[in-house]
Amino acid sequence: MTVRDPTLDSVAEKVSRNERLTRDDALALFQSNDLLTIGRLADQVNRRRNGDRVFFAANQHINPTNVCVLRNTCVFCSFARMPREEGAYTRSLEEVFAEADAARDNATREFHIVGGLHHKLRLAYYLDMFRGLRERHPGVHIKALTAVEVAHLARIEQLSVRDVLTAMKDAGVTSLPGGGAEVFSPAARATIADKKLSGAEWLAVHREAHEVGLPSNCTMLYGHVETMADRVDHLLALRALQDQTGGFLTYIPLAYHPDHNELGEALGRTGTATSGFDDLKNIAVGRLVLDNIPHVKTHWPMVTPFISQVALTFGCDDLEGTVVFERVYHEAGAATPMWLSYDQIVTLIRGAGKEPVERDSLYQTVRTFEDWVPGQRPARPEGPEGATFRISHRPPAGARGRRTLPVLQEIASAE
Ligand code: V47
């Protein structure tokens, strides 16, 4: 393979020999602008593992509350509110169940449940939610609560993290999402998320999750104040834990969105998210460094469906899913859709010359599409013909100049 940037020669040799990359190799990759070489190397590694398969999930995001005790200290987040701040909400269990009923019409296989650190919501609220969802939607996996929420619940309940995780598992949770990792560097964390649990604590929660039999995802928030060395050390810390537990399913690089949050204002970055160049580089370097994590996922709500489609030839084998409805990044200025239809996802994957595979949370195959011919019939398997989402707008949030977000009002068949 022709390598334009000579600093990547030894990385290319190691990749061809299937050898583990070092810290210096990872730094060289992040510092290089030879994106096509980096992408080709990552593609090579991904193809060895996944061939042309690209996974996706028919999933639904549920955010039970945006009230968060870290509202004033996680300065990169646009989603959180103080309890009485305009736009603050907390769903009753009935409201959560009503929102989740959308799953019936949309052949959903995964609920992705994350929210703020509420000062009053107790563990019982979440356990009742998981049990209720399990009962109402027995075929749907529950991927719930970031390590930050788990640690918060352990603290307010005066329980161990292990006890909280075990109770979650018993109530029907099948995996943990990867949020809250941000970037482990203590210096960067002190700037963007001063009071959040530390990197070591985040890793400890995931270690415990893996030990009690809950696999999890992992993330890195990039494109804010972190250095290239911070990115590398973050990836190496994830790789080291994975060597010990094998419990991470997928790595997801998360592109920082600077709108409607204090950090974006302080950096003068409002309206300027990460670049497509850096988005693709983060996918590819993640694939190359995390040689022991089976999957790398691109989160299309953050980087656009088009960059995500291109990422499929830059080392990525997972296009996330239908998402229905993304709120966290849209509060921070993401201009992408709030969901994609099942058919749009399948078409994006096919459009990249890849083989779509619908998966569940644990990467078990739900469906493949060898027999599906575009244009003849929808790829979407079940649900009433023409089912669609009806969107309404809540009253202006006002506080901190945050924009009004469309929220799910009801789900119904198209008239
Ligand atoms: O931890 C918050 C990020 C994360 C902003 O596990 C922001 O499958 C960008 O982790 N700009 C939560 N990012 C979401 C998350 C996730 C997403 C999709 C899939 C999975 C999975 C996990 O969102 C937070 C934080 O890193 N975030 N605010 C922002 N302004």
Side-chain angles (χ1 to χ4, degrees), residues 62-65 89-100 121 125 128-129:
I62 298 177
N63 308 115
T65 181
Y89 74 83
T90 300
R91 303 260 189 266
S92 66
L93 286 182
E94 288 64 37
E95 287 170 328
V96 170
F97 296 147
E99 181 169 345
L121 289 180
Y125 164 86
D128 287 346
M129 182 189 303

Side-chain angles (χ1 to χ4, degrees), residues 76 143 177-180 182 217 221 252 255 257 297 299 302 329 332:
F76 67 89
K143 177 178 69 172
E182 320 317 355
N217 296 342
L221 184 70
I252 314 143
H257 275 260
K297 174 152 90 176
H299 197 49
M302 293 185 141
Y329 321 113

Side-chain angles (χ1 to χ4, degrees), residues 59 61 63 74-80 110 112 114-115 143 146 148-149 175-183 192 196 202 206 216-222 224 250-261 263-264 274 297-302 318 320 323 326 328-334 359 363:
N59 58 3
H61 281 216
N63 308 115
C74 276
V75 292
F76 67 89
C77 178
S78 313
F79 176 70
E110 174 183 275
H112 170 121
V114 297
K143 177 178 69 172
T146 64
V148 188
E149 291 166 278
S175 66
L176 252 56
E182 320 317 355
V183 67
I192 69 165
K196 198 170 233 173
W202 186 96
H206 282 261
S216 67
N217 296 342
C218 55
T219 59
M220 175 174 76
L221 184 70
Y222 67 90
H224 44 92
T250 186
Y251 165 68
I252 314 143
L254 298 175
Y256 168 60
H257 275 260
D259 286 5
H260 310 135
N261 57 65
L263 184 63
T274 54
K297 174 152 90 176
T298 172
H299 197 49
W300 61 257
M302 293 185 141
D318 188 324
E320 175 57 89
V323 171
E326 202 300 305
V328 178
Y329 321 113
H330 285 83
E331 292 271 9
R359 61 165 176 83
Y363 285 85

